[in-house]
């Protein structure tokens, strides 16, 4: 049983590693104008941290909600749902109208849609799976494929010449930064931190299961609905910033669980954020600045995350 | 319960009708009355429209058959070449051969793709063996993730070698590039389907497991390998010539077995015909939805197929006589 002190030490180590990685990320191989490079990389670093928070924390909350360590919102089609809603608003407003409204307005249209749709999706998934985990994930995965197909159908119907441009949103991209979206993402991150931090003990209780939490005085339906809404919002942020990442959250939570199995949310939440940030910053540092490869980080993460999923799933079976 | 012969009768009636519609529509004007008088119309028919429709029929029929074989020998209703890593491994195979030997012929590429597809499926079988057979839903799930891992590997190589454009062709199947001279390999898949037809009864017995098939005098390992090799070849040829078309192999055999029960040999013609018809319908939809542009058939089938799949996942379990 790890003591709170060892948990705090673990967080401290992660934090120090993240700071070192961030400094290296900002300064490694800088030639020429420091002002320009620092500004460019600073934006990118902020984006990586925001995405790390959104993906890490949303997956952690999702696993708490579903009492299951092999689930992630991405695996159940949440981020393809967001992309579909994005294209749907684009379809309704038309390409010109969509381009003229700002990122903030877009997000205020898309995020509530996403929240409503994800409540519906989650209800469909859990109601029909009857406690069969494999069926739940399979259904979610198939929903994801369906959302993606609808999404690309709509994209083609909008404007065939812009189709290839639109298609780039299929792959997660950690290389380009949308500044106004980043501001929104940081705002969501800060507000959600306050809520999640206030709920940290209730989340611990929730881990005990539905009946135990209700017996201990938790308003279970309300808490799970709120968790789901925050997950939807965080998935929207990460998908809007970098695109869909199905296995990244899973990888992070598996690592956090492996490092310190019995931590409370007070420690798990910061640990998930720090772990995700460390992987993203180090990965981006190595791939972009050391190896000179652009945009393969997401593919490598998907690859590793997929392997982790297989390992977890097969381990549970035997 | 329908009889296979009834399903066949309906499908045989539908097929020529769909074939005529499929040949008639498209960007260039085509009138049946001009076929004998106008040489342009005739060459349009011979070099473009007819090859395309034939390619659709062959692909639909053989992918459905491949899916059915996998479902029977691996005893899981929710499997198809896409969900055992065959499609993705085939793409990996062509990608590697295109990078190392860009001058290779279509046939050489196809052979390489088949071999890699076979390797990919064999690796999946190792994972498969570790899962208890009663976990019906776990197996396709593992398969999907397994496929996406191979796809991530292929994408990684694609990004690094600037061949993403080629990958887009293999991962999104459509028939817009099919012309005479570029689809003929697909006839080989038809040959594979015939092989399966002649071995159907033995494959069904192999599907009952190693012990039962051995005691009934069937060489289990041999049957297993034959079915894997035929599935690998069908998948690889389809990926090389038209790209990936998901869900046909899953949805069509399921519908047929719901209507007519599980009898591989009797159902094979129905499965093949229904696969061909389903793909023809989806291709026609893809061409008329937004002319003169066309929506890839894989996209249309992605939408239709996922909906049918979700329905199959949640319907009340029916009792099958196996």
């Amino acid at each position: 049983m790890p003591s709170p002190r060892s948990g705090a030490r673990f967080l401290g180590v992660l934090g120090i590693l993240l700071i070192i990685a961030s400094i290296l990320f900002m300064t490694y191989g800088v030639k020429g104008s420091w002002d320009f490079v620092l500004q460019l990389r600073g934006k990118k670093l902020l984006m990586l941290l925001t995405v790390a928070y959104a993906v890490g924390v949303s997956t952690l909350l999702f696993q708490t909600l579903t009492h299951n360590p092999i689930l992630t919102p991405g695996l159940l089609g949440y981020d393809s749902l967001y992309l579909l809603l994005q294209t749907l608003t684009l379809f309704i407003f038309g390409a010109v109208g969509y381009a003229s409204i700002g990122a903030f307005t877009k997000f205020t249209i898309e995020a509530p849609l996403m929240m409503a749709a994800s409540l519906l999706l989650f209800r469909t998934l859990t109601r029909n799976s009857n406690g069969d985990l494999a069926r739940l994930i399979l259904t979610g995965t198939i929903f994801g494929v369906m959302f993606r197909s609808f999404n690309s159908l709509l994209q083609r119907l909008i404007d065939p010449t812009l189709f290839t441009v639109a298609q780039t949103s299929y792959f997660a991209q950690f290389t380009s930064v949308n500044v106004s979206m980043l501001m929104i993402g940081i705002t969501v991150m800060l507000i959600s931190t306050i809520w999640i931090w206030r709920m940290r003990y209730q989340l611990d209780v929730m881990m005990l299961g539905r009946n135990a939490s209700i017996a201990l005085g938790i308003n279970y339906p309300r808490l799970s609905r709120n968790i789901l809404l925050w997950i939807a919002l965080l998935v929207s942020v990460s998908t809007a910033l970098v695109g869909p990442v199905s296995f990244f959250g899973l990888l992070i939570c598996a690592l956090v669980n492996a490092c310190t199995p019995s931590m409370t949310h007070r420690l798990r939440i910061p640990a998930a954020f720090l772990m995700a940030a460390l992987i993203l910053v180090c990965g981006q540092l190595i791939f972009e600045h050391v190896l000179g490869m652009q945009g393969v980080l997401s593919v490598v993460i998907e690859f590793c995350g997929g392997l982790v999923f297989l390992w977890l799933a097969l381990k549970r079976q035997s | 319960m329908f009889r296979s012969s009834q399903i066949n009768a309906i499908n045989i009636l539908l097929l020529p009708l769909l074939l005529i519609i499929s040949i008639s529509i498209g960007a260039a004007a085509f009138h049946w009355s001009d076929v004998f008088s106008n040489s342009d119309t005739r060459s349009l028919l011979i070099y473009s429209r007819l090859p395309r429709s034939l390619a659709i029929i062959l692909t639909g029929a053989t992918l459905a058959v491949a899916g059915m074989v996998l479902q029977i020998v691996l005893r899981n209703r929710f499997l198809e070449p896409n969900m055992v890593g065959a499609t993705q491994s085939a793409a990996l195979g062509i990608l590697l051969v295109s990078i190392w030997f860009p001058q290779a012929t279509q046939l050489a590429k196809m052979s390489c793709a088949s071999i890699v597809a076979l390797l990919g499926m064999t690796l999946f079988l190792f994972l498969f063996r570790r899962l208890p057979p009663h976990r019906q839903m776990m197996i396709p799930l593992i398969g999907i993730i397994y496929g996406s891992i191979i796809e991530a590997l292929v994408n990684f190589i694609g990004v690094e070698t600037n061949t993403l454009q080629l990958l887009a062709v293999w991962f999104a199947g459509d028939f817009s590039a099919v012309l005479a001279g570029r689809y003929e390999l697909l006839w080989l898949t038809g040959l594979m389907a015939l092989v399966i037809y002649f071995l159907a009864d033995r494959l069904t017995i192999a599907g009952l497991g190693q012990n039962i098939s051995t005691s009934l005098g069937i060489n289990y390992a041999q049957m297993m390998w034959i079915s894997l090799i035929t599935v690998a070849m069908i998948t690889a040829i389809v990926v090389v010539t038209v790209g990936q078309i998901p869900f046909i192999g899953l949805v069509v055999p399921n519908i047929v077995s719901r209507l007519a029960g599980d009898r591989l040999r009797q159902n094979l013609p129905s499965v093949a015909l229904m696969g061909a018809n389903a793909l023809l319908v989806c291709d026609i939809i893809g061409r008329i939805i937004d002319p003169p542009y066309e929506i890839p058939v894989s996209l249309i089938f992605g939408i239709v197929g996922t909906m049918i799949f979700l329905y199959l996942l949640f319907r009340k379990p029916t009792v099958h006589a196996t």
Side-chain angles (χ1 to χ4, degrees):
Chain A
M1 190 84 178
S3 63
R5 188 176 291 257
S6 82
R9 199 180 305 136
F10 176 61
L11 287 186
V13 172
L14 278 181
I16 291 166
L17 285 177
L18 179 61
I19 290 169
I20 297 171
S22 305
I23 293 171
L24 272 175
F25 181 81
M26 295 293 286
T27 55
Y28 183 86
V30 174
K31 299 184 203 73
S33 163
W34 277 86
D35 278 357
F36 175 73
V37 172
L38 287 185
Q39 204 193 356
L40 189 77
R41 289 194 185 177
K43 268 187 228 155
K44 213 179 267 182
L45 183 65
L46 266 180
M47 184 198 70
L48 292 178
L49 295 179
T50 314
V51 170
Y53 176 87
V55 175
V57 173
S58 67
T59 310
L60 194 69
L61 289 179
F62 200 67
Q63 296 191 347
T64 303
L65 179 71
T66 53
H67 314 291
N68 201 297
I70 68 172
L71 283 183
T72 119
L75 203 55
L76 296 191
Y78 276 60
D79 36 16
S80 6
L81 176 63
Y82 179 74
L83 287 181
L84 175 61
L85 292 176
Q86 208 171 18
T87 317
L88 209 60
T89 41
L90 176 68
F91 195 70
I92 292 163
F93 285 90
V96 183
Y98 191 77
S100 61
I101 54 177
F104 182 72
T105 322
K106 269 182 219 168
F107 194 76
T108 46
I109 296 169
E110 283 155 12
L113 269 179
M114 174 68 185
M115 290 159 122
S118 82
L119 285 181
L120 208 65
L121 176 65
F122 190 73
R123 231 179 47 179
T124 319
L125 287 174
T126 45
R127 178 182 291 169
N128 289 323
S129 69
N130 305 323
D132 182 350
L133 176 70
R135 187 196 288 250
L136 172 76
I137 310 180
L138 191 59
T139 314
T141 318
I142 300 299
F143 264 118
V145 177
M146 190 169 80
F147 295 148
R148 270 198 297 280
S149 303
F150 265 121
N151 186 29
S152 34
L153 179 66
L154 284 180
Q155 284 178 344
R156 280 177 183 260
L157 291 179
I158 289 164
D159 188 349
T161 52
L162 280 176
F163 157 71
T164 40
V165 183
Q167 211 186 19
T168 53
S169 59
Y170 277 176
F171 282 120
Q173 284 285 339
F174 295 105
T175 41
S176 56
V177 185
N178 179 342
V179 178
S180 39
M181 192 56 228
L182 180 60
M183 291 305 148
I184 297 167
I186 293 173
T187 317
V188 172
M189 172 163 97
L190 294 176
I191 299 172
S192 75
T193 313
I194 298 171
W195 182 81
I196 293 165
W197 195 247
R198 280 181 46 211
M199 290 293 148
R200 61 194 184 279
Y201 298 116
Q202 296 201 18
L203 290 172
D204 289 339
V205 176
M206 206 173 186
M207 295 278 275
L208 301 173
R210 186 192 171 92
N211 294 338
S213 339
I214 292 173
L216 288 165
I218 300 261
N219 187 344
Y220 192 89
R222 207 181 117 197
L223 181 62
S224 37
R225 202 184 53 232
N226 287 345
I227 293 177
L228 208 56
L229 292 178
W230 276 114
I231 292 169
L233 207 55
L234 291 173
V235 170
S236 310
V237 166
S238 77
T239 316
L241 277 173
V242 294
V245 276
S246 358
F247 291 118
F248 181 47
L250 187 82
L251 186 67
I252 299 309
C253 290
L255 285 173
V256 169
N257 290 338
C259 291
T260 41
S262 66
M263 285 202 311
T264 55
H265 279 82
R266 189 164 56 93
L267 296 169
R268 275 161 66 88
I269 290 164
F273 163 63
L274 289 172
M275 184 70 87
L278 189 64
I279 288 183
L280 278 189
V281 173
C282 287
Q284 195 62 25
L285 175 72
I286 292 168
F287 279 111
E288 195 180 337
H289 299 302
V290 181
L291 298 177
M293 296 176 185
Q294 290 263 329
V296 291
L297 177 61
S298 64
V299 182
V300 174
I301 287 176
E302 286 302 279
F303 185 75
C304 300
L307 287 180
V308 168
F309 177 85
L310 278 190
W311 181 70
L312 285 174
L314 291 171
K315 194 181 71 170
R316 283 167 65 87
Q317 295 304 311
S318 49
Chain B
M1 202 64 119
F2 291 80
R3 290 215 200 104
S4 314
S5 56
Q6 286 170 304
I7 302 172
N8 285 347
I10 298 169
N11 275 314
I12 288 174
L13 284 176
L14 272 176
L15 186 66
L17 203 70
L18 290 169
L19 181 65
I20 291 169
I21 299 174
S22 167
I23 289 176
S24 312
I25 57 172
F30 180 86
H31 301 288
W32 285 96
S33 53
D34 295 343
V35 169
F36 296 104
S37 55
N38 187 331
S39 69
D40 285 350
T41 306
R42 197 161 53 237
S43 42
L44 180 67
L45 174 70
I46 292 169
Y47 294 110
S48 165
R49 295 289 167 81
L50 197 58
R52 177 179 181 139
S53 302
L54 286 176
I56 295 168
I57 291 172
L58 281 169
T59 307
T62 55
L63 278 182
V65 168
M68 184 167 204
V69 169
L70 276 180
Q71 287 168 22
I72 285 188
V73 297
L74 299 182
R75 279 208 279 182
N76 192 306
R77 280 259 152 255
F78 299 111
L79 288 179
E80 64 147 356
N82 246 310
M83 299 187 178
V84 296
T87 315
Q88 296 84 350
S89 320
L92 178 66
I94 327 168
L95 179 65
L96 291 179
V97 82
S98 316
I99 292 169
W100 288 329
F101 308 103
Q103 306 301 324
T105 61
Q106 198 78 341
L107 196 70
K109 282 185 184 170
M110 179 225 98
S111 319
C112 190
S114 310
I115 294 167
V116 181
L118 193 61
L119 288 176
M121 278 198 286
T122 317
L123 190 59
F124 175 77
L125 283 187
F126 280 108
L127 295 176
F128 177 82
R129 294 256 155 84
R130 288 201 50 184
L131 289 167
H134 63 274
R135 299 301 309 271
Q136 286 282 303
M137 303 288 171
M138 203 65 201
I139 290 158
L141 177 61
I142 296 287
I144 291 176
I145 307 300
Y146 173 70
S148 69
I149 293 175
I150 302 176
E151 202 172 315
L153 184 69
V154 175
N155 278 328
F156 176 77
I157 300 172
V159 172
E160 282 311 295
T161 53
N162 280 324
T163 42
L164 271 183
Q165 219 169 0
L166 282 176
L167 296 183
V169 176
W170 297 321
F171 280 133
D174 77 293
F175 290 90
S176 57
V178 171
L179 294 171
R182 292 179 62 176
Y183 82 104
E184 282 74 3
L185 273 177
L186 284 173
W187 288 103
L188 276 176
T189 64
L191 204 66
M192 294 294 125
L194 271 183
V195 170
I196 289 168
Y197 183 72
F198 286 117
L199 294 175
D201 292 334
R202 270 175 276 178
L203 289 177
T204 310
I205 295 172
L208 297 174
Q210 181 146 25
N211 293 339
I212 298 177
S213 44
T214 311
S215 59
L216 288 172
I218 298 290
N219 186 336
Y220 175 76
Q222 192 189 33
M223 282 300 123
M224 212 59 184
W225 278 113
I226 290 176
S227 45
L228 289 187
I229 289 169
T230 43
V231 170
M233 283 187 68
I234 290 173
T235 316
I237 296 171
V238 170
V239 172
V240 170
T241 44
V242 294
Q244 166 184 355
I245 301 172
F247 293 108
I248 296 190
L250 191 128
V251 164
V252 172
N254 269 294
I255 294 173
V256 171
S257 87
R258 271 210 100 182
L259 295 174
D262 281 333
R263 288 164 299 180
L264 179 59
R265 187 171 210 139
Q266 281 96 322
N267 285 355
L268 255 175
S270 329
V271 168
L273 282 169
M274 195 183 272
N277 282 339
L279 201 56
L280 275 172
V281 170
C282 287
D283 188 69
I284 291 168
I285 295 173
R287 279 195 275 176
I288 59 178
I289 212 168
D290 185 29
Y293 306 106
E294 63 169 271
I295 313 288
V297 67
S298 57
L299 204 55
I300 305 287
F301 219 99
I303 295 170
V304 180
T306 43
M307 286 178 167
I308 301 176
F309 188 23
L310 287 173
Y311 166 74
L312 291 170
L313 268 178
F314 288 118
R315 61 158 193 197
K316 298 262 181 321
T318 47
V319 183
H320 288 293
T322 41

